[in-house]
Amino acid sequence: MIPYCSICWDVDKVKLLDQRRLPAEELYLEITDYHEVIDAIRTLAIRGAPAIGVAAAMGAALGALSLDTADGKEFQSRFQVICREIAAARPTAVNLFWALDRVLLVAQAHKAESVEAIKGHLVAEAQTMLKEDETINRRMAQAGQVLIREGHRVLTHCNTGALATGAYGTALGVLRAAWEAGKRFSVWVDETRPLLQGARLTTWELGKLGIPYTLIPDGAAATLMHQGKVDLVILGADRIAANGDTANKIGTYSVAVLAHHHGIPFYVAAPLSTFDFTIPDGNHIPVEERAPEEVTHLWGQAVAPAGAQALNLAFDVTPNELIAGIITEKGIMEPPFASSLKPYRPGQS
Amino acid sequence: MIPYCSICWDVDKVKLLDQRRLPAEELYLEITDYHEVIDAIRTLAIRGAPAIGVAAAMGAALGALSLDTADGKEFQSRFQVICREIAAARPTAVNLFWALDRVLLVAQAHKAESVEAIKGHLVAEAQTMLKEDETINRRMAQAGQVLIREGHRVLTHCNTGALATGAYGTALGVLRAAWEAGKRFSVWVDETRPLLQGARLTTWELGKLGIPYTLIPDGAAATLMHQGKVDLVILGADRIAANGDTANKIGTYSVAVLAHHHGIPFYVAAPLSTFDFTIPDGNHIPVEERAPEEVTHLWGQAVAPAGAQALNLAFDVTPNELIAGIITEKGIMEPPFASSLKPYRPGQS
């Protein structure tokens, strides 16, 4: 139905849709060297927390396949080095570390087996994680779609569709499920500067889904809210602290404050793999600062004078008080999040 | 000291800096046909409410010069048509209509004189308005610069410098006066999508003034406020209603709500010619909607899929409750604005 995928495993290589070239061109990269997966994550050929998680697992599998040793101990140690390299690709999205922890556990769990067998387990695990991501997203979408009502005008920020995940999407998955359930509504798409994931990717995905949307500059969201033209905000997350504080694409906190001021419910959609229960609150989330050229240039052309000083924070952190609910594969978590999330902390059951 | 001007009169033509090409190129247009002035206003070769006012007056003078009649009545009637044409260039900035009303009054006041003499008065009036604009801006800047303290981090939106005015600037003029008074501070420059007047023009002007700045995407202002890194907001206006409600570049209302949420004072700097006392509040300000291509394309290159629906509101309206003060050439007006502005309503003295 959706004739594209963000990432998949193909025999012995990773195929991923190069999102830097969208919407102008649908080009799939075919990668056999895990260094190129790191590069793809770093340069945003693939982005979105859940998609980064899957890419990390597949990159680790490629790395494992490249190890030319039959010695189990040497394999484990070199595999750990590879995972550490991949982990350094980007700092904020916790799914990256979650995915690598998971493949490291798989390697450990099978350490008594042959290196070849372990490689097989790692390749299988990466593919399992991709399938699981779709299942989780579909559950999340079903849980969240009850929030969307006929005629709603929903505002979203950045991209949270199939492109940002293994498949189906998080916040955009919720919209997709509502649409598939027959509800008719429309979407305000924040263009999401500096890298325009809203303008380039979300519009592209909504167009393929047939969901009506209107693209706006990020600065226009407030006046639409003031005019009563926004009923609901729903967007994704890159890392959520134990208290519900949420790191997401720069501009998210702005939308959250504006929604709060106008009495508009603000929802986050994210799988449990995006939660970081090791940190109590958002102050502990490292926020990636990217190259200023992403702000001062667009496709290599300067939008500012030569030598212009610019700050390019890739994410911001929204305090939990501004969040009406967090949609997960286990249902919609409501405030206070420390309590509603408690059953899902690792070690609880 | 500042080796550029937004607009000037040169014997029998208008010279204006083509702001569409900044910062890449400093190109001056030389215009003798008033239709080209209308085109320059419409396509934003010249923009900023006070600069539009001066351009309108100079365009009207060019139009007057082009009238090949010695008959006073015919001249007046054709001159009125020209002024109506110029008035249709853009709908929001009230300085456009203010300037045209003023030149129409000049033409009327001298109606007993020869057509040649009236043409001379109109050319002189346009030049007077340019000079007055600088005087007014310098007064406004002196009145406002007391708000800037050593070490302040000031956030601004869009462009309000010499480029947006006849000379010196409004909000940027306030910063310039503070800098010239020896205060040292820095500026956060909102890039101001979609047309990037912050990225392209404000950085360029601050660079020439030697005032340190950092360019940010519009969506990043909120998180800087949350981090305590913004002490003050100061920006311009395109039209201010009798109660202080202020229309300005899209994104301004967003900044106002965010500043309010974080307890940061939000100031507007505008000459009295930007006030429209004929309307009681901001609901009566017509907001220009420009071509969606300004959002979906940048320099002719698409940033969104072909056929993407986009909304391009050029302005928004900030309710007076969010404004700490309005800096004018008569001093800083404080809330409630209906009272503080009363002495400056036409017909009061």
Side-chain angles (χ1 to χ4, degrees):
Chain A
M1 176 179 171
I2 300 293
Y4 62 92
C5 68
S6 60
I7 187 165
C8 65
W9 184 270
D10 184 10
V11 190
D12 58 355
K13 58 180 179 286
V14 173
K15 281 177 68 174
L16 62 86
L17 181 53
D18 187 348
Q19 300 187 30
R20 297 166 300 189
R21 292 169 178 261
L22 286 174
E25 198 183 357
E26 284 181 46
L27 179 84
Y28 285 85
L29 303 176
E30 304 206 343
I31 298 177
T32 51
D33 181 341
Y34 76 93
H35 295 96
E36 289 174 41
V37 173
I38 295 174
D39 194 54
I41 294 173
R42 197 168 274 151
T43 62
L44 314 189
I46 189 160
R47 26 65 50 204
I52 289 172
V54 174
M58 292 192 174
L62 283 182
L65 292 181
S66 74
L67 292 176
D68 54 351
T69 177
D71 179 75
K73 264 200 155 160
E74 187 189 343
F75 174 83
Q76 293 288 345
S77 125
R78 288 172 65 188
F79 183 64
Q80 285 165 17
V81 171
I82 287 170
C83 288
R84 275 201 295 274
E85 273 182 82
I86 298 173
R90 294 190 72 190
T92 303
V94 78
N95 307 60
L96 178 67
F97 315 112
W98 166 87
L100 293 168
D101 286 347
R102 185 161 153 177
V103 296
L104 281 165
L105 278 177
V106 166
Q108 276 297 306
H110 296 276
K111 67 181 172 188
E113 300 176 30
S114 72
V115 164
E116 278 316 297
I118 301 174
K119 288 179 178 177
H121 291 305
L122 289 169
V123 170
E125 185 70 10
Q127 289 173 279
T128 300
M129 285 164 75
L130 173 59
K131 281 193 213 109
E132 277 181 17
D133 190 58
E134 176 166 0
T135 307
I136 284 168
N137 288 341
R138 287 184 180 271
R139 278 195 200 130
M140 199 188 314
Q142 284 310 321
Q145 64 96 357
V146 298
L147 299 169
I148 313 296
R149 303 218 185 119
E150 190 73 20
H152 260 176
R153 292 148 306 174
V154 182
L155 186 134
T156 193
H157 190 77
C158 200
N159 172 265
T160 57
L163 289 173
T165 61
Y168 207 80
T170 57
L172 233 54
V174 170
L175 299 182
R176 180 172 165 183
W179 191 261
E180 288 168 355
K183 293 182 233 183
R184 292 299 168 258
F185 55 91
S186 61
V187 184
W188 296 111
V189 178
D190 267 2
E191 63 175 5
T192 317
R193 280 280 291 156
L195 292 176
L196 297 166
Q197 291 92 340
R200 296 189 301 110
L201 309 177
T202 299
T203 56
W204 188 80
E205 295 205 80
L206 289 172
K208 285 193 185 280
L209 292 164
I211 300 176
Y213 67 84
T214 305
L215 176 64
I216 55 168
D218 302 324
T223 200
L224 294 171
M225 291 181 180
H226 187 66
Q227 291 170 3
K229 293 179 180 167
V230 179
D231 299 297
L232 188 78
V233 174
I234 179 168
L235 39 67
D238 288 84
R239 191 187 302 211
I240 302 175
N243 70 343
D245 291 355
T246 294
N248 191 46
K249 181 54 53 200
I250 190 74
T252 298
Y253 170 61
S254 184
V255 175
V257 171
L258 296 169
H260 175 77
H261 182 82
H262 295 93
I264 298 165
F266 176 94
Y267 284 91
V268 171
L272 289 172
S273 56
T274 299
F275 289 76
D276 182 354
F277 290 105
T278 69
I279 54 173
D281 60 52
N283 292 322
H284 297 79
I285 302 178
V287 169
E288 179 181 11
E289 190 179 325
R290 293 180 63 86
E293 287 74 20
E294 290 182 350
V295 176
T296 57
H297 289 66
L298 204 58
W299 294 306
Q301 196 171 344
V303 295
Q309 169 93 7
L311 177 65
N312 184 15
L313 300 171
F315 304 95
D316 57 29
V317 178
T318 297
N320 64 77
E321 312 91 74
L322 300 176
I323 302 172
I326 306 177
I327 304 158
T328 75
E329 67 269 37
K330 299 291 186 186
I332 303 175
M333 306 293 150
E334 288 181 348
F337 298 111
S339 315
S340 54
L341 291 171
K342 210 172 176 191
Y344 308 104
R345 293 176 78 112
Q348 317 279 327
S349 62
Chain B
M1 177 179 172
I2 300 292
Y4 63 94
C5 67
S6 60
I7 188 164
C8 64
W9 185 270
D10 185 9
V11 190
D12 56 356
K13 59 180 180 285
V14 172
K15 282 178 67 176
L16 63 83
L17 182 53
D18 187 347
Q19 299 187 30
R20 298 166 300 188
R21 292 170 178 260
L22 288 174
E25 199 183 355
E26 283 180 48
L27 179 83
Y28 284 85
L29 303 177
E30 303 206 344
I31 298 178
T32 51
D33 181 341
Y34 76 93
H35 295 97
E36 288 175 43
V37 173
I38 295 174
D39 194 55
I41 294 172
R42 197 169 272 151
T43 63
L44 314 189
I46 188 159
R47 24 65 51 203
I52 288 173
V54 174
M58 291 192 175
L62 282 183
L65 292 181
S66 74
L67 291 176
D68 53 352
T69 178
D71 179 75
K73 263 200 158 162
E74 186 189 343
F75 174 83
Q76 294 288 344
S77 127
R78 288 172 65 188
F79 183 63
Q80 285 166 18
V81 172
I82 287 171
C83 288
R84 275 201 294 274
E85 274 183 81
I86 298 172
R90 296 190 72 191
T92 304
V94 78
N95 307 60
L96 178 66
F97 315 111
W98 166 88
L100 293 168
D101 286 347
R102 185 160 153 176
V103 295
L104 281 165
L105 278 177
V106 166
Q108 276 297 308
H110 296 277
K111 67 180 172 188
E113 300 175 28
S114 72
V115 164
E116 278 316 297
I118 301 174
K119 288 179 178 177
H121 291 305
L122 290 169
V123 170
E125 185 70 9
Q127 289 173 281
T128 300
M129 285 164 74
L130 174 60
K131 280 193 215 111
E132 277 181 16
D133 190 59
E134 176 166 357
T135 306
I136 283 168
N137 288 341
R138 286 183 181 272
R139 277 195 202 131
M140 198 188 315
Q142 284 309 321
Q145 64 96 358
V146 298
L147 298 169
I148 313 296
R149 302 216 186 121
E150 189 74 19
H152 260 175
R153 291 148 308 174
V154 182
L155 186 135
T156 193
H157 190 76
C158 199
N159 172 264
T160 57
L163 289 174
T165 61
Y168 207 79
T170 56
L172 234 54
V174 169
L175 298 183
R176 181 171 163 183
W179 191 261
E180 287 168 356
K183 293 182 233 182
R184 292 299 168 257
F185 54 91
S186 61
V187 183
W188 296 110
V189 178
D190 267 3
E191 62 175 6
T192 317
R193 279 282 290 158
L195 292 175
L196 297 166
Q197 291 90 339
R200 295 189 302 109
L201 308 177
T202 299
T203 56
W204 188 79
E205 294 205 82
L206 288 172
K208 286 193 185 280
L209 292 165
I211 300 176
Y213 68 83
T214 305
L215 176 65
I216 55 167
D218 302 324
T223 200
L224 294 171
M225 291 180 180
H226 187 66
Q227 291 170 3
K229 293 179 180 167
V230 179
D231 300 297
L232 188 78
V233 174
I234 178 167
L235 38 67
D238 288 84
R239 192 188 301 211
I240 303 176
N243 70 343
D245 291 354
T246 294
N248 190 47
K249 181 54 52 201
I250 190 74
T252 298
Y253 171 61
S254 184
V255 175
V257 171
L258 296 170
H260 175 77
H261 182 83
H262 295 94
I264 298 165
F266 176 95
Y267 283 92
V268 171
L272 289 172
S273 56
T274 299
F275 288 76
D276 182 353
F277 290 105
T278 70
I279 55 173
D281 60 51
N283 291 323
H284 297 79
I285 302 178
V287 170
E288 179 181 12
E289 190 178 326
R290 294 179 62 85
E293 288 73 20
E294 290 182 350
V295 176
T296 57
H297 289 68
L298 204 60
W299 293 306
Q301 195 172 345
V303 296
Q309 168 94 7
L311 177 66
N312 184 15
L313 300 171
F315 303 96
D316 57 28
V317 178
T318 298
N320 65 77
E321 312 90 77
L322 300 176
I323 302 172
I326 306 177
I327 305 159
T328 76
E329 67 269 37
K330 298 290 186 186
I332 303 175
M333 306 293 149
E334 287 181 350
F337 298 110
S339 315
S340 55
L341 290 171
K342 210 172 175 191
Y344 307 105
R345 295 175 78 112
Q348 317 280 329
S349 62

